[in-house]
Amino acid sequence: MSTSTWRDLGTPKRKSEVFVDLIVDGVEVSVPEGTSVMRAASEAGLSIPKLCATESLEAFGSCRLCLVEIEGRRGYPASCTTPVEAGMVVRTQTSKLAKLRREVMELYISDHPLDCLTCSANGNCELQDMAGAVGLREVRYGFEGKNHLDAPKDESNPYFTFDASKCIVCSRCVRACEETQGTFALTIDSRGFVSSVSAGQKESFLESECVSCGACVAACPTATLMEKSVVEQGQPDRSVITTCAYCGVGCSFKAEVKGNDVVRMVPDFDGKANRGHSCVKGRFAFGYATHKDRITKPMIRENISDPWREVSWDEAISHAASEFKRIQEKYGKGSVGGITSSRCTNEETYLVQKLIRAAFGNNNVDTCARVCHSPTGYGLKTTLGESAGTQDFDSVMDMDVAIVIGANPTDGHPVFASRLKKRLRQGAKLVVVDPRKIDLVDGPHVKASHHLKLRPGTNVAIVNSIAHVIYTEGLHDKQFIQERCEKADFDKWVGFISQEKNSPESLEEVTGVPAAEVRAAARLYAGCRNGAIYYGLGVTEHSQGSTMVMGIANLAMLTGNIGRPGVGVNPLRGQNNVQGACDMGSFPHELPGYRHLSDSVTRELFESEWNVSINPEPGFRIPNMLDAAHSNEFMGIYVQGEDIAQSDPNTQHVTSALEAMECVVVQDIFLNETAKFAHVFLPGASFLEKDGTFTNAERRISRVRKVMDPLSGKADWEVTVMLSNALGYPMNYTHPSQVMDEIARLTPTFTGVSYKKLDEGSIQWPCNEVSPDGTPVMHTVDFTRGLGKFMVTEYVPTNERSSRKFPLILTTGRILSQYNVGAQTRRTENVVWFDEDRLEIHPSDAEMRGISTDDWVGIRSRAGETVLRARVTERVQPGVVYTTFHFPESGANVITTDNSDWATNCPEYKVTAVEVEPVTQPAEWQKKFREFSEEQLNHLAKAGEAERV
Ligand code: SF4
Ligand code: SF4
Ligand code: SF4
Ligand code: FES
């Protein structure tokens, strides 16, 4: 199934054990208590005309088009706002109702431009449909009287237009902004005839609080709020259901296409991760896929100081293969390796690690999770037995208290944030643990009960002090611990956690958080019915990242908040397929399904399927590859869809390692920062150009479907297959579904997964004989490892400390409109909202240094120096500065250090001691960067010359 089955039933679904029977137009219907008459009729297959009602929003009852007759009741109640009652007899189609509805429609149409034939919504307009449905043939009123036909258009948003002349003031947009998105950017101004929709305080959409999620546009029944792409390109003629390729929420979209062009991306109401919602990136920022910077021809060159030369696929592949073979002959089998991509599909990632293990014959494979959530894998595997989050996103609607630690969901995981905010508006409570005042701390109709504003680097101290309070105050779930956890480990942990050194009072000095605030937050979490923990890179990207993940798992087990809806440990994973990349065996020590290489039974299984012998020794991690390049031990790399030169710490160390290598092969859609050091460039395909699957943060495997042909002629998996064949290891796949079948054969958690099954809808792994329909909530009866394991989590301060020379702590994060290294979003209109990385600094630190907003400031750490413009703000606390890392020239990673998590080598991005001072010119690194980039762009410009001559 590649088209959505969703039909708008008019009002939201109600959950109730009690069912109510009624009769609608002679049909007996049974629906949950609280259901509207409109929905009951829709469920019976009937259709009542409507304009202001839609299934995703609470009914409002303003348009009066949905009137019905109910036996025994006077008048004509609106079916959208009338709840069903037992024994009701409803009539939806009578001549009286038809007349009333025609009159209502007549009034609407008399104040609406009659330009249907030239309107961009023609053929996809509910007003037009309803005029037809009620049989309106003539309008008795002219346009002479007062009307809104001259109302101005607001074109300020880059992606959609607001044409007030077409507005019927149904308020669906206002309610969508409130209920679905939770931003409250829109209002209805005034009353009666003069009422109108207004963004913010009568501002333009762009100036208002609007975050361009598109919920209002999707909700609008007319052409008032309309995607500019539809206005320009016309209505689409086909659609394909696929999955967003930006963040780990994994929203499902209907890609609407005309010819070979995507006209718009519409969030899919059948999508289980997003339930019909989206954010500005997935909804609108897809133009990068056809941006002029896309490279569509393979290229090679001898040295990075040479111009590129466009070549055929065959030449590029055989050159890359012969280089890898030459390097292995000269430097040894282990001198080459590769990096899989968390942007690519599961199937593509699986093939890259297979190529490395089978064709290169070593285990030198790693992935970007190394620099983000590798501690999640380690920490959760150790404590709970599975390297993944425990819940589905729907679970948040059953949560009573959420602790959000080191995550900024409104920017990083916006669609999840909207659901979290919805639950908070229903009365659930929130604790935020973050050095910075993120939007959730105090937003529209959402306020955190506690903001534990800790010093960067003291996470473990905070989690220990929370656990200390819960245990010493006897708030723990004794029965859960006794039945579900290892006793000896728990006893050992109790001996540790109950020590006075872990009390909030003892740690107050370390964390900077008042003890009373920690105690209150701990009591809130321990005392609620369902407590859920959500966390992000602010937990993992620390020298104690793995310790902190284990501390979080301890907290959940301590309070029995595991194994049912509304609770759990929920890592908000960054990239669209970082969960999948880890599942697919991208780490140097694990085969797919997180099975260690040393496990001979698993190894033999793969050996017999792959027909090779697999080296039982783990290979290099990314940092080891880079170090080994500096000592001539690692000289060739295949990088698929990853930009280590921008995203990994200590940029200069990374780029000098790439320079030291003899063959760097980069497969990407753009000439990214890593590709500037490459010898072979293999053009990649965007998510719109291929089939496959992504696995999101809730372990949900969703189909990615080809919407248009690959611009280079090849999907990424085809290129890996060609390279493997050229290396002498045959791969014979003709479709990614065959790769998934192989994964399912070899991986117990994927046994039941196939493209056929996925066509019925997305599935959360494990999906096997035990759970044929997947597993929304894990560890319900037992933990994957049997009994839960409490781990002692001693707080060890990071080596990276502030000093007189480096008195401030720099921490990093994301912004809503940009994504990761920005390679995609920088090539879209999203730059309207954010076009440069800034340094946030507290007013007191700024004043001390003579810094004002917009000033250029130099940021110096022990690793390097860069220059950014400042933004003076109280969002950060004194002593802490903050920046994003979306623009390569910002060089955020020039200053981050080599410190990393003790267990996984995940870099300590979140703590860098720095000094900041006003400057007048770019840093030395930035000058060199500009020069080098310009040179590389010149080399690229020459790529097609040979062919053109
Ligand atoms: S803009 Fe659209 S959704 Fe909003 S009130 Fe007007 S017609 Fe209704
Ligand atoms: S785009 Fe989203 S945030 Fe902006 S007004 Fe519409 S619903 Fe609100
Ligand atoms: S929340 Fe994430 S997955 Fe959903 S549309 Fe936005 S970027 Fe895409
Ligand atoms: S649809 Fe019921 S009043 Fe508008």
Side-chain angles (χ1 to χ4, degrees):
M1 174 188 67
S2 64
T3 51
S4 177
T5 53
W6 186 74
R7 183 168 78 94
D8 187 349
L9 301 184
T11 63
K13 190 176 185 164
R14 295 287 180 237
K15 263 199 213 166
S16 174
E17 307 276 287
V18 183
F19 273 67
V20 174
D21 299 332
L22 68 159
I23 295 175
V24 188
D25 290 346
V27 181
E28 283 181 23
V29 199
S30 185
V31 287
E33 197 174 31
T35 302
S36 72
V37 168
M38 174 180 278
R39 188 174 176 110
S42 303
E43 287 192 6
L46 305 164
S47 171
I48 301 177
K50 61 182 173 52
L51 273 175
C52 68
T54 187
E55 183 171 343
S56 57
L57 303 171
E58 290 301 326
F60 189 59
S62 69
C63 76
R64 312 295 298 163
L65 202 62
C66 67
L67 310 181
V68 291
E69 291 175 10
I70 299 177
E71 264 184 31
R73 286 214 193 164
R74 298 225 323 249
Y76 303 95
S79 61
C80 63
T81 47
T82 306
V84 293
E85 282 174 21
M88 246 181 190
V89 178
V90 181
R91 274 185 292 277
T92 72
Q93 310 293 340
T94 67
S95 53
K96 180 66 191 167
L97 289 171
K99 183 166 178 294
L100 286 171
R101 287 175 189 153
R102 269 198 300 275
E103 284 168 6
V104 170
M105 275 310 292
E106 203 177 352
L107 281 171
Y108 275 120
I109 299 295
S110 68
D111 187 16
H112 197 83
L114 295 179
D115 60 357
C116 288
L117 281 184
T118 51
C119 176
S120 46
N122 190 20
N124 190 9
C125 167
E126 290 184 41
L127 189 68
Q128 199 179 41
D129 293 347
M130 287 306 120
V134 304
L136 187 68
R137 294 283 170 267
E138 58 170 338
V139 177
R140 287 165 293 167
Y141 319 106
F143 290 139
E144 306 81 39
K146 280 191 189 168
N147 60 49
H148 298 89
L149 302 181
D150 292 329
K153 269 192 190 178
D154 177 350
E155 301 273 10
S156 61
N157 183 290
Y159 296 118
F160 61 82
T161 167
F162 174 71
D163 180 353
S165 72
K166 294 184 170 162
C167 181
I168 58 170
V169 201
C170 66
S171 93
R172 272 162 66 161
C173 54
V174 178
R175 286 176 285 143
C177 192
E178 293 176 3
E179 293 175 29
T180 310
Q181 165 57 25
T183 291
F184 295 76
L186 302 178
T187 46
I188 301 280
D189 252 6
S190 309
R191 288 168 165 250
F193 181 78
V194 290
S195 63
S196 62
V197 172
S198 165
Q201 307 295 316
K202 296 206 173 167
E203 296 157 301
S204 70
F205 270 78
L206 193 62
E207 291 160 336
S208 74
E209 295 292 305
C210 167
V211 293
S212 198
C213 70
C216 56
V217 183
C220 181
T222 67
T224 314
L225 282 160
M226 174 64 80
E227 296 88 350
K228 287 183 177 171
S229 55
V230 177
V231 176
E232 280 153 22
Q233 292 165 261
Q235 288 288 330
D237 46 38
R238 67 186 170 96
S239 70
V240 181
I241 298 289
T242 191
T243 305
C244 179
Y246 279 117
C247 86
V249 177
C251 295
S252 177
F253 277 92
K254 200 159 53 143
E256 296 193 341
V257 185
K258 190 169 189 164
N260 208 25
D261 297 326
V262 177
V263 177
R264 69 176 158 194
M265 298 289 282
V266 181
D268 175 16
F269 278 93
D270 285 336
K272 293 182 192 143
N274 56 321
R275 306 281 176 198
H277 192 32
S278 61
C279 84
V280 61
K281 295 187 285 283
R283 176 78 152 100
F284 297 118
F286 54 87
Y288 71 87
T290 47
H291 193 275
K292 63 175 177 43
D293 290 352
R294 279 286 302 270
I295 301 176
T296 56
K297 299 221 168 104
M299 306 184 296
I300 60 176
R301 60 182 175 177
E302 286 307 309
N303 295 299
I304 64 165
S305 52
D306 296 338
W308 283 103
R309 189 164 61 83
E310 280 178 5
V311 293
S312 67
W313 273 109
D314 284 343
E315 185 176 346
I317 294 289
S318 67
H319 178 72
S322 71
E323 277 296 278
F324 284 132
K325 284 194 223 162
R326 178 186 67 75
I327 290 170
Q328 285 192 300
E329 264 165 40
K330 185 169 166 195
Y331 298 99
K333 211 175 192 178
S335 61
V336 297
I339 299 178
T340 71
S341 174
S342 295
R343 322 286 297 134
C344 286
T345 63
N346 283 316
E347 295 74 3
E348 288 165 342
T349 305
Y350 174 87
L351 289 186
V352 172
Q353 64 86 34
K354 178 173 176 179
L355 174 142
I356 289 162
R357 299 188 204 278
F360 285 172
N362 63 46
N363 293 303
N364 294 334
V365 56
D366 209 352
T367 189
C368 75
R370 174 70 49 218
V371 297
C372 66
H373 268 286
S374 47
T376 288
Y378 182 89
L380 297 187
K381 179 110 187 172
T382 308
T383 48
L384 313 181
E386 193 61 84
S387 299
T390 61
Q391 311 294 122
D392 57 357
F393 286 137
D394 282 348
S395 171
V396 77
M397 299 314 288
D398 290 306
M399 161 283 291
D400 298 305
V401 172
I403 308 187
V404 174
I405 314 178
N408 184 7
T410 50
D411 285 58
H413 299 82
V415 165
F416 164 71
S418 290
R419 297 192 78 191
L420 172 63
K421 287 191 286 185
K422 189 173 199 163
R423 181 68 191 137
L424 295 172
R425 289 197 303 276
Q426 290 171 355
K429 299 279 182 270
L430 174 68
V431 175
V432 171
V433 184
D434 204 291
R436 194 165 158 265
K437 188 179 171 196
I438 58 170
D439 284 349
L440 279 178
V441 171
D442 192 4
H445 302 273
V446 167
K447 195 164 170 42
S449 303
H450 305 282
H451 177 198
L452 311 186
K453 210 171 182 179
L454 78 176
R455 292 203 180 98
T458 63
N459 281 338
V460 174
I462 277 281
V463 84
N464 283 349
S465 59
I466 294 175
H468 175 91
V469 174
I470 294 171
Y471 182 75
T472 55
E473 293 191 8
L475 305 175
H476 53 298
D477 186 336
K478 298 167 192 76
Q479 190 183 346
F480 182 91
I481 296 163
Q482 194 183 355
E483 289 170 3
R484 300 281 311 265
C485 302
E486 302 260 13
K487 186 172 181 322
D489 292 304
F490 178 66
D491 291 345
K492 189 169 162 206
W493 179 82
V494 165
F496 159 73
I497 207 71
S498 46
Q499 291 169 27
E500 184 51 31
K501 68 174 185 182
N502 288 317
S503 75
E505 289 73 17
S506 303
L507 289 166
E508 191 174 290
E509 270 294 294
V510 172
T511 61
V513 183
E517 195 80 11
V518 176
R519 285 199 178 267
R523 288 170 193 149
L524 182 69
Y525 172 68
C528 73
R529 190 177 53 112
N530 286 332
I533 303 175
Y534 294 90
Y535 72 88
L537 301 182
V539 158
T540 53
E541 290 176 344
H542 286 274
S543 60
Q544 281 203 289
S546 293
T547 316
M548 180 61 182
V549 172
M550 293 190 284
I552 287 173
N554 287 345
L555 263 194
M557 291 189 287
L558 184 66
T559 51
N561 277 313
I562 288 273
R564 61 180 187 278
V567 299
V569 177
N570 304 277
L572 295 172
R573 307 202 63 153
Q575 306 225 53
N576 55 324
N577 198 36
V578 65
Q579 178 70 53
C582 298
D583 301 343
M584 292 299 107
S586 292
F587 290 128
H589 64 290
E590 280 171 344
L591 288 159
Y594 303 99
R595 285 161 298 165
H596 203 279
L597 276 170
S598 59
D599 166 12
S600 58
V601 176
T602 304
R603 232 177 34 247
E604 279 159 22
L605 185 71
F606 281 83
E607 285 175 337
S608 92
E609 173 88 26
W610 292 356
N611 207 17
V612 287
S613 69
I614 296 172
N615 187 338
E617 287 303 313
F620 285 144
R621 296 171 173 183
I622 294 172
N624 309 131
M625 294 181 198
L626 300 173
D627 291 345
H630 283 112
S631 56
N632 283 4
E633 289 167 70
F634 188 84
M635 302 304 280
I637 192 165
Y638 171 34
V639 185
Q640 185 181 72
E642 174 65 9
D643 194 1
I644 52 172
Q646 191 183 340
S647 62
D648 284 36
N650 199 344
T651 308
Q652 292 163 89
H653 182 71
V654 178
T655 54
S656 58
L658 289 169
E659 276 181 280
M661 292 182 204
E662 292 184 4
C663 183
V664 174
V665 178
V666 170
Q667 185 175 352
D668 212 288
I669 58 175
F670 298 115
L671 190 84
N672 63 18
E673 299 313 310
T674 308
K676 290 175 183 165
F677 295 87
H679 306 92
V680 180
F681 186 91
L682 305 172
S686 76
F687 77 113
L688 295 169
E689 297 157 50
K690 56 196 180 187
D691 281 298
T693 55
F694 291 152
T695 306
N696 75 354
E698 36 159 24
R699 296 170 277 106
R700 181 179 301 288
I701 310 160
S702 301
R703 270 302 309 273
V704 175
R705 293 187 178 87
K706 188 161 115 176
V707 173
M708 57 199 223
D709 292 331
L711 300 191
S712 71
K714 302 213 180 293
D716 295 302
W717 63 270
E718 292 175 278
V719 177
T720 307
V721 166
M722 284 172 77
L723 183 57
S724 187
N725 286 330
L727 283 163
Y729 179 76
M731 286 191 188
N732 300 310
Y733 311 97
T734 53
H735 193 269
S737 62
Q738 298 158 352
V739 183
M740 180 53 84
D741 293 343
E742 180 173 319
I743 296 164
R745 277 199 298 280
L746 294 169
T747 315
T749 41
F750 277 67
T751 311
V753 182
S754 67
Y755 277 28
K756 190 162 171 275
K757 178 110 187 157
L758 288 168
D759 278 348
E760 291 161 20
S762 58
I763 310 168
Q764 286 175 270
W765 65 257
C767 172
N768 46 29
E769 304 75 28
V770 186
S771 311
D773 296 321
T775 312
V777 176
M778 292 192 79
H779 314 300
T780 47
V781 182
D782 292 313
F783 286 100
T784 309
R785 69 181 301 283
L787 294 173
K789 186 175 175 69
F790 275 82
M791 292 293 291
V792 170
T793 53
E794 190 82 56
Y795 168 63
V796 181
T798 166
N799 291 332
E800 183 67 9
R801 301 206 196 144
S802 53
S803 62
R804 263 184 22 170
K805 203 165 164 210
F806 302 108
L808 302 170
I809 294 291
L810 170 76
T811 186
T812 58
R814 289 183 190 177
I815 191 100
L816 169 70
S817 53
Q818 293 293 335
Y819 186 73
N820 209 297
V821 295
Q824 294 144 295
T825 42
R826 279 186 278 115
R827 290 180 170 96
T828 70
E829 299 283 343
N830 279 24
V831 288
V832 165
W833 288 281
F834 192 83
D835 61 359
E836 65 174 312
D837 295 316
R838 296 273 193 138
L839 185 82
E840 290 187 3
I841 182 165
H842 188 271
S844 61
D845 291 323
E847 196 189 343
M848 212 184 293
R849 292 165 176 80
I851 294 168
S852 307
T853 290
D854 291 342
D855 285 353
W856 291 104
V857 290
I859 309 144
R860 200 165 17 89
S861 74
R862 294 178 179 100
E865 185 173 3
T866 194
V867 170
L868 295 174
R869 282 201 294 160
R871 178 179 292 123
V872 179
T873 169
E874 289 187 357
R875 275 171 85 102
V876 286
Q877 53 182 297
V880 175
V881 289
Y882 168 89
T883 189
T884 47
F885 47 80
H886 303 302
F887 291 79
E889 206 180 312
S890 305
N893 284 327
V894 172
I895 39 183
T896 49
T897 66
D898 275 340
N899 282 1
S900 65
D901 174 44
W902 62 270
T904 65
N905 270 156
C906 181
E908 191 176 37
Y909 287 125
K910 302 294 180 186
V911 189
T912 308
V914 296
E915 177 55 300
V916 174
E917 61 192 355
V919 292
T920 51
Q921 53 173 321
E924 277 313 303
W925 176 84
Q926 280 163 316
K927 289 183 198 161
K928 280 195 209 134
F929 171 85
R930 268 182 214 166
E931 232 168 74
F932 179 70
S933 280
E934 224 163 87
E935 195 181 297
Q936 289 302 320
L937 291 176
N938 283 336
H939 292 334
L940 177 64
K942 296 203 177 102
E945 265 178 13
E947 213 170 62
R948 285 194 288 271
V949 174

